[in-house]
Amino acid sequence: MKISIENLTKCFGNVKALDNVSLEIENGQLFFLLGPSGCGKTTLLRCIGGFEKQTSGRILFDGKDVSKLSPDKRESAMVFQGYALFPHMTVYQNLAFGLEMQKMPRNKIDKMVKDAMKSVQIEQLADRKPNELSGGQQQRVALARTLVVHPGCLLLDEPLANLDAKLRRDMRQEIRRLCKDNALTGIYVTHDRQEALSMADKVAVLKDGQIMQIGSPREIYCKPASCFVASFIGDTNLIPGKIKAIQTDAVIIETAAGDLLAKEAPQNAKVGDQVHLSIRPEAISLTIPAPNSLPATLKETAYLGEVSSHTATTNIGGISLDFLEMNPKFDTEGGNATLNILPEDIIVLDK
Ligand code: ATP
């Protein structure tokens, strides 16, 4: 199912939770809504599912306007954060309930419930009640209950929020597999950037009810469109600077630490423009020589086993930079270091 959102605005009193949002979600795509608390992602998901009515704008499923339809008429199914399972029913009964409401024949219901249980590997739990299940098992039941009705799209509101870190990681690829195996369009709300980066086909980053950027995980991480997106999607060092020269395939930026060489300037940038440079901690190397070489003094080191997280201050300009060292060897706080950065790892952003 293809989903189109056209100029969607949603106000709660004088709070504008969504501000003229437009986007397209292709058939079979796993699309993430990512952003800080209160940015409007749950409101957008609830509008798509019909649980909230937009103030203005339209929602189209495969070209058909569903803006005014109730949730049960939309061919979408929602996995809620708290799972919302019926506590007095067994797993089997929880799954069968929606189909019984549609007055389907008993043998057809039985096959559909068993198929859904099989797809998330919970056949052995059929006779248990929700309070006899672990968090991860409840999560699987909630997923199966949406899959059983064969929806055109799956709406997921922070479905892994209640699980521990290890289970969260295991379930990520399982949810992705389920969506792909069932050719489902999935819309997934999270504020967990790793969840978005590891699972999504496309990510929309929201702030204050507006879309800041839409792209693949790699595009959003490596080519963020703004300082907000750069720092929301991953740790980064943001350094103010001024464009000194623009060449065919390089740009020179004047900073307090000296001139730095980057690969690309923002579109329409010109010499003299104030910009920010985004440099990810993993882009700074102590050992690989690069055109950008900054003498620095090591201030702090946190040894984490396979990696050390360092902070150093540049000797010129006193800029504080966070960086990572894999397989760490370096731990002399107060010692000298040379920080090397490749031009392609310096992202120049409009101020
Ligand atoms: P979180 O990650 O914390 O769940 P979110 O990005 O999903 O946040 P929303 O729940 O969509 O954000 O809320 C967006 C804005 O709309 C917030 O300012 C919120 O306070 C407001 N809001 C949401 N629901 C209501 C409501 N029923 N009544 C009044 N204001 C609301």
Side-chain angles (χ1 to χ4, degrees):
M1 177 189 284
K2 178 178 170 169
I3 298 174
S4 311
I5 312 291
E6 293 180 355
N7 309 105
L8 208 74
T9 293
K10 171 70 187 175
C11 300
F12 295 104
N14 48 21
V15 175
K16 216 180 222 184
L18 294 174
D19 187 2
N20 202 25
V21 168
S22 294
L23 54 88
E24 299 262 303
I25 301 171
E26 297 303 328
N27 185 25
Q29 206 167 50
L30 188 48
F31 193 97
F32 270 62
L33 302 173
L34 179 72
S37 185
C39 70
K41 39 194 198 303
T42 300
T43 303
L44 179 52
L45 194 76
R46 289 175 60 80
C47 285
I48 296 170
F51 300 97
E52 213 67 76
K53 191 172 176 329
Q54 65 280 359
T55 309
S56 59
R58 296 199 311 165
I59 298 164
L60 310 178
F61 285 3
D62 281 336
K64 179 180 156 214
D65 189 350
V66 298
S67 311
K68 299 200 172 87
L69 298 182
S70 58
D72 55 311
K73 305 255 162 28
R74 288 200 184 193
E75 290 180 58
S76 53
M78 180 112 157
V79 180
F80 294 94
Q81 226 183 75
Y83 312 141
L85 301 174
F86 299 118
H88 57 287
M89 291 185 189
T90 63
V91 168
Y92 186 100
Q93 289 163 338
N94 261 283
L95 265 59
F97 182 77
L99 305 174
E100 283 163 358
M101 288 288 114
Q102 294 175 27
K103 308 233 177 313
M104 260 183 207
R106 174 56 50 198
N107 57 350
K108 194 167 170 197
I109 292 177
D110 190 59
K111 174 160 182 359
M112 288 170 84
V113 169
K114 284 182 176 154
D115 285 349
M117 287 198 298
K118 193 165 169 220
S119 72
V120 295
Q121 297 150 26
I122 54 165
E123 300 106 306
Q124 73 285 8
L125 305 175
D127 299 325
R128 297 227 202 138
K129 298 236 173 95
N131 66 359
E132 295 164 343
L133 301 172
S134 71
Q137 289 167 335
Q138 288 182 41
Q139 217 284 333
R140 282 169 194 271
V141 177
L143 272 171
R145 196 176 57 173
T146 53
L147 294 175
V148 78
V149 293
H150 293 293
C153 83
L154 199 56
L155 309 177
L156 301 131
D157 187 5
E158 304 226 23
L160 306 181
N162 299 334
L163 305 182
D164 66 51
K166 162 107 178 49
L167 202 51
R168 279 178 87 111
R169 281 197 299 275
D170 294 346
M171 286 303 289
R172 283 180 191 162
Q173 290 318 312
E174 182 145 355
I175 292 184
R176 188 175 159 84
R177 178 189 63 78
L178 276 175
C179 287
K180 296 296 166 192
D181 285 359
N182 292 285
L184 276 170
T185 307
I187 309 178
Y188 192 118
V189 161
T190 187
H191 57 255
D192 182 328
R193 60 203 194 190
Q194 283 196 343
E195 218 158 274
L197 290 175
S198 62
M199 294 175 69
D201 293 316
K202 275 263 163 80
V203 181
V205 181
L206 281 89
K207 183 185 173 215
D208 298 335
Q210 294 182 342
I211 292 185
M212 298 287 107
Q213 189 173 355
I214 298 178
S216 68
R218 199 172 280 271
E219 279 164 348
I220 299 268
Y221 192 81
C222 298
K223 292 194 180 248
S226 62
C227 292
F228 172 79
V229 174
S231 47
F232 189 77
I233 198 72
D235 295 334
T236 199
N237 298 285
L238 287 174
I239 302 174
K242 190 164 89 176
I243 297 186
K244 194 167 167 183
I246 299 178
Q247 300 160 352
T248 329
D249 59 354
V251 49
I252 299 168
I253 299 103
E254 196 180 310
T255 76
D259 289 354
L260 293 176
L261 190 68
K263 253 323 210 212
E264 275 179 59
Q267 262 192 347
N268 306 322
K270 48 189 193 314
V271 172
D273 281 357
Q274 299 287 341
V275 291
H276 268 106
L277 306 182
S278 164
I279 306 173
R280 302 263 181 224
E282 68 274 18
I284 298 177
S285 165
L286 288 165
T287 49
I288 302 169
N292 298 298
S293 217
L294 301 172
T297 307
L298 209 60
K299 291 288 173 204
E300 268 179 42
T301 287
Y303 178 73
L304 303 167
E306 79 275 26
V307 65
S308 271
S309 169
H310 302 292
T311 304
T313 309
T314 57
N315 294 348
I316 301 168
I319 293 179
S320 175
L321 291 172
D322 294 334
F323 64 101
L324 299 173
E325 184 194 6
M326 291 303 291
N327 193 15
K329 306 279 184 265
F330 211 84
D331 64 356
T332 27
E333 286 186 17
N336 292 324
T338 301
L339 310 184
N340 302 298
I341 312 158
L342 291 168
E344 55 266 44
D345 288 329
I346 298 188
I347 305 158
V348 187
L349 299 163
D350 287 328
K351 192 158 185 278

